[in-house]
């Protein structure tokens, strides 16, 4: 039996959604395979973006005046 590549799930042109590998500790958004991230030694991940880094610092830091 010959497989029809147009309706096959193994069609090379078929676009697949990127796989979610985790969630950003800064913004809470999904981290997809291939995204630029910062990973910490304890396994936490954030997007490599200044706003995600800022949100992460605001969540886990204690605000005070110097």
């Amino acid at each position: 039996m010959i497989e029809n590549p147009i309706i096959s799930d193994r069609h090379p042109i078929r676009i697949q959604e990127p796989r979610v590998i985790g969630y950003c500790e800064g913004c809470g958004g999904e981290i997809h395979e291939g995204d630029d991230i910062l990973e910490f030694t304890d396994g936490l991940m954030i997007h490599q973006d200044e706003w995600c880094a800022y949100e992460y610092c605001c969540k886990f830091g204690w605000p005070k005046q110097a």
Side-chain angles (χ1 to χ4, degrees), residues 8-46:
S8 172
D9 286 340
R10 293 179 285 185
H11 191 277
I13 299 176
R14 188 178 302 264
I15 298 172
Q16 295 181 356
E17 298 255 341
R19 191 170 58 109
V20 176
I21 59 166
Y23 294 91
C24 178
E25 293 292 327
C27 70
E30 295 177 339
I31 295 178
H32 297 99
E33 196 170 35
D35 286 353
D36 292 328
I37 62 166
L38 298 171
E39 186 173 8
F40 297 89
T41 56
D42 57 358
L44 295 177
M45 296 182 287
I46 63 171

